[in-house]
Amino acid sequence: MILASDLGQGLSLALTGRNVLAAAAGVTLGTTFGIFPGFGPTTLIAILLGFTVGLPADTGIIMLVGIYFGTQYGDSISAILMRAPSEPNAVMLALDGHEIARAGRPGPALSVAALGSFVGSLVGLVGLALLAPALGHVAVYLSTADYTAIAVLGIVALTVVSRGSWWRNLVAMFVGVALSTVGLDPIAGVDRFTFGHLQLAQGIAVAPVAIGVFGFAEVLAIAAGSTDRRALGRIAFADIWPTRADLGEALPAAARGAAIGFPLGVPPGPTLAVATYASYALERARSRKRGGGGEPVMAAVAGPKAADEAAVAGHLVTMVALGLAFSPVTAMLLAGLELHGIQPGPLFISQHGSLFWEIVVSVLIGSVLLLVINVPLIGVWVQLLRTPTPELLGALTLFMLTGAYSIRNSTWDMWIVLIMGAVGYAMRVFGYPPALLVIGVVLGSVLEVNLREALAASQGSLTTFVDQPVSTAVLGASLLLLAGRPVWRAAAQRRADRLQP
Amino acid sequence: MSATEPGPGAVTASVAAGPAEETLAPPPHSPAPQPGRLARLGPPGFALAVAAASVGYLVEALHYARGTSASPGPGVFPQLVAACLIVSALGTAVTSLRAPARPLGAPGAGERRRVGPLAIVVAAAVFITALQTFGFFVGALAVLVIVELGTGVRNPFRIALFAILLALVSQLIFVDALGLKFFSTFHVLGGSL
């Protein structure tokens, strides 16, 4: 009953003309910029934060949430149409989503992504409103050994389940992990692999690496003539709608993705990418189980997208309740709140109850506006991407470098984009998955910090990883995955042989 | 025919795919990519290069303290990662040597244009270095002109119009409206005048 009255209060405050207009402006602005590779939610929220400064606190925050949803969807567009996601959590959309688009169905792929986003937001919203205290409480009690085990599971699962050679997947992952060790050692504060360069001491941020290996490498591939953009053909209004079969496949997948994403989003860590990958792996496994080959499926678009949005709602739980940000996006949202003089934390809900519920409702408004404004306008967004090739390449190069610079106002990040672009291009040529490199950078620092802290806490005893139920179960799952790899590959080979005429 | 001009065969493809593909479609009669020397030796060679780089990473990692098991130092994790990387790279090299040679590259790699990617890399490098000295507007102009020339555009009016317009719009949005902390060309020029 209290929940209903609180939600009602939030609705009445959020649904003023000014606030709805601010949300619509945010969604449109976010999508317009977000479609260009390199401009992910984190970068764009950082760039567009200034737009909200002159607005009242609630309106500014609602606009920020709108920008977030717009950029998220814009990132989905560039991931699906150009295989150029700007952030690691959109990587999974660049797999089956891009294949479906290349197969001539870009409109339904984009609509299903929007639908997944809506379902994920809705489930995440319910979780945020109902389960926040309980889930936040559980997450606080996870130990460093648990986080180490979760990171190990991430590495094992990502390299085993990803397509292609396991060895190449491992190389890509470990290169990413190695990159994460550059800079100031997170525990001892010692410079590592900096070679006397002050800029390297800050470490290598994920965003420039992602912009480089995805966005810049894509631009190089287009310039080399080795990437076709058939998916960028005109999308008529009639062609954007998914079929009943698509919906039948996508809706349950989105529900599963949201159910995976929300609990994974609550614990601290780079769980957005893990949530999207877990959902992707589940949908691919289900597809194989039903006798599907390697062909792309709508479920693998809707599921990861829903998982992503629900995981962000999970991140919001810890951000609002503890005042901590565990992902770049929530860090930017936190910065937005602080910009308006609001400090989230344990007392936030009691002191700013109406604002908390306004934020909850603004998430709902943002996801509804995404469906109402962005989906019917898919064709318009795609038109922006159909700029002639030389002009598109020039503009994308300029935008990506500018976006990379905006993260830390550092020219060094632009050099990282350039270098990682060349690396990403070489990886494409030789068949290494760039996505794993980026996820390796994210998982690497989590793994190192938690591994070292767990060992220090247990006086160097390795049994700490099997003493606790969560870490034992998670490490057991990793071992099962590793042990099952040959069986999995053999089964896949048998299926492939059966398909041979 | 310049590298970006479509041949007659490309017209059919561009009608189906839309104008965006006009400059991307491979020319007619382009031979199907065949596994060449690069396709045979490239993958294991690349893996061995990664292995060599990993050895370099390991050598550097050995300079950092390993600590004890109860208090792991900054060198432990990088050394562990280096070992995993070397083993994985060698595993890749071995499996690549055993695997049959296949054409390299992404789907659609009929004819490769070597000037385009190089032009983009050069343009990006020029932008980054010019930014601090000449400001955002001049840097943006440079990157756009170099990319246009490198991707085969030869119409000076088209190049100038596009470069000036986009550089100006970008300057207004990123520097003036959004307040990104670039050196403003107009500020630099104003100061020097």
Side-chain angles (χ1 to χ4, degrees):
Chain A
M1 212 41 81
I2 293 170
L3 178 71
S5 70
D6 287 338
L7 269 175
Q9 190 190 5
L11 267 173
S12 66
L13 287 168
L15 283 177
T16 61
R18 184 183 64 194
N19 288 348
V20 172
L21 201 65
V27 166
T28 309
L29 204 61
T31 310
T32 304
F33 282 96
I35 59 167
F36 292 104
F39 284 79
T42 311
T43 306
L44 281 172
I45 291 175
I47 292 175
L48 302 175
L49 202 61
F51 271 128
T52 70
V53 173
L55 300 172
D58 58 341
T59 310
I61 290 161
I62 286 173
M63 187 172 176
L64 264 183
V65 173
I67 289 171
Y68 164 73
F69 274 101
T71 51
Q72 276 276 62
Y73 190 63
D75 204 13
S76 307
I77 294 176
S78 55
I80 288 172
L81 296 186
M82 298 185 71
R83 210 172 63 175
S86 304
E87 298 218 342
N89 38 317
V91 165
M92 297 310 147
L93 293 178
L95 302 176
D96 286 43
H98 182 66
E99 291 300 320
I100 291 169
R102 283 188 57 185
R105 304 192 67 221
L110 291 169
S111 298
V112 161
L115 189 70
S117 167
F118 180 72
V119 172
S121 302
L122 218 56
V123 171
L125 185 76
V126 172
L128 179 65
L130 285 176
L131 303 173
L135 284 173
H137 187 73
V138 171
V140 167
Y141 287 103
L142 285 177
S143 68
T144 49
D146 295 333
Y147 284 114
T148 307
I150 290 169
V152 168
L153 175 65
I155 289 174
V156 170
L158 289 165
T159 51
V160 168
V161 181
S162 293
R163 296 172 184 178
S165 153
W166 184 57
W167 289 108
R168 284 189 169 102
N169 294 348
L170 281 175
V171 168
M173 177 67 82
F174 285 125
V175 168
V177 175
L179 286 174
S180 77
T181 63
V182 175
L184 215 58
D185 168 41
I187 292 174
V190 177
D191 273 348
R192 293 186 304 191
F193 308 102
T194 57
F195 307 104
H197 291 280
L198 195 63
Q199 295 96 330
L200 275 177
Q202 296 175 34
I204 295 178
V206 178
V209 174
I211 293 171
V213 298
F214 293 122
F216 201 74
E218 178 71 23
V219 164
L220 294 179
I222 292 173
S226 59
T227 294
D228 65 55
R229 286 156 58 214
R230 278 173 289 176
L232 295 188
R234 190 181 297 277
I235 301 176
F237 185 72
D239 296 334
I240 62 176
W241 308 108
T243 63
R244 189 173 288 182
D246 291 336
L247 290 176
E249 194 184 319
L251 277 171
R256 285 190 294 272
I260 291 171
F262 183 74
L264 276 176
V266 176
T271 46
L272 294 186
V274 175
T276 53
Y277 194 82
S279 168
Y280 179 78
L282 174 70
E283 298 310 329
R284 292 300 320 168
R286 285 178 63 88
S287 167
R288 285 193 196 97
K289 200 175 171 185
R290 288 197 303 268
E295 72 276 5
V297 288
M298 283 292 186
V301 178
K305 189 66 196 160
D308 185 19
E309 297 296 353
V312 170
H315 272 327
L316 285 178
V317 171
T318 41
M319 188 193 88
V320 168
L322 303 175
L324 298 172
F326 295 112
S327 70
V329 166
T330 44
M332 293 318 304
L333 290 174
L334 192 66
L337 285 171
E338 286 171 353
L339 199 70
H340 291 281
I342 296 156
Q343 182 62 56
L347 298 176
F348 175 71
I349 296 177
S350 62
Q351 288 178 347
H352 302 279
S354 58
L355 185 61
F356 169 72
W357 289 106
E358 243 185 297
I359 293 172
V360 170
V361 173
S362 71
V363 173
L364 182 66
I365 293 173
S367 55
V368 169
L369 283 176
L370 185 79
L371 281 181
V372 174
I373 298 178
N374 280 7
V375 172
L377 294 179
I378 281 173
V380 177
W381 306 123
V382 172
Q383 289 302 308
L384 284 175
L385 283 171
R386 295 176 73 245
T387 315
T389 305
E391 280 75 14
L392 178 70
L393 294 180
L396 288 180
T397 306
L398 179 62
F399 289 165
M400 273 186 289
L401 293 171
T402 309
Y405 179 85
S406 73
I407 298 163
R408 299 192 287 197
N409 287 335
S410 162
T411 48
W412 178 247
D413 284 337
M414 293 196 278
W415 286 115
I416 291 177
V417 167
L418 186 55
I419 294 164
M420 294 315 297
V423 169
Y425 184 67
M427 289 177 80
R428 280 166 179 239
V429 170
F430 292 109
Y432 294 79
L436 294 190
L437 185 150
V438 177
I439 295 171
V441 178
V442 178
L443 287 179
S445 52
V446 178
L447 180 60
E448 177 175 16
V449 170
N450 287 290
L451 176 70
R452 285 168 64 184
E453 284 184 352
L455 284 172
S458 65
Q459 298 296 311
S461 169
L462 288 172
T463 56
T464 187
F465 298 108
V466 288
D467 277 350
Q468 300 160 41
V470 175
S471 58
T472 308
V474 173
L475 285 177
S478 308
L479 283 175
L480 272 177
L481 263 173
L482 271 178
R485 194 182 68 87
V487 181
W488 189 325
R489 289 180 70 86
Q493 187 59 48
R494 275 199 299 277
R495 273 199 300 274
D497 291 344
R498 275 204 300 272
L499 290 173
Q500 295 288 328
Chain B
M1 189 182 353
S2 83
T4 54
E5 285 173 358
V11 174
T12 319
S14 69
V15 168
E21 207 190 342
E22 278 178 9
T23 54
L24 294 168
H29 316 303
S30 62
Q34 296 297 319
R37 188 181 296 171
L38 183 66
R40 283 197 306 276
L41 299 178
F46 186 76
L48 287 174
V50 173
S54 309
V55 170
Y57 175 78
L58 176 63
V59 168
E60 181 62 22
L62 289 171
H63 289 126
Y64 308 120
R66 209 176 295 172
T68 62
S69 60
S71 177
V76 172
F77 189 72
Q79 288 166 24
L80 202 66
V81 173
C84 293
L85 200 44
I86 291 167
V87 171
S88 315
L90 290 177
T92 306
V94 171
T95 50
S96 301
L97 277 171
R98 285 181 185 167
R102 287 182 306 180
L104 296 175
E111 178 188 276
R112 290 188 167 273
R113 303 180 184 107
R114 297 182 194 285
V115 181
L118 190 65
I120 287 166
V121 170
V122 169
V126 167
F127 176 70
I128 300 168
T129 46
L131 206 56
Q132 300 289 348
T133 317
F134 300 107
F136 181 83
F137 182 76
V138 171
L141 265 185
V143 75
L144 295 169
V145 168
I146 295 171
V147 171
E148 291 267 282
L149 288 171
T151 48
V153 179
R154 294 290 176 264
N155 181 339
F157 180 71
R158 175 177 162 184
I159 294 172
L161 183 70
F162 170 70
I164 292 171
L165 267 180
L166 190 64
L168 203 57
V169 169
S170 302
Q171 163 85 24
L172 289 174
I173 292 176
F174 295 117
V175 182
D176 299 327
L178 296 180
L180 285 186
K181 290 181 177 61
F182 285 116
F183 284 99
S184 166
T185 298
F186 303 117
H187 181 75
V188 171
L189 290 177
S192 63
L193 290 172

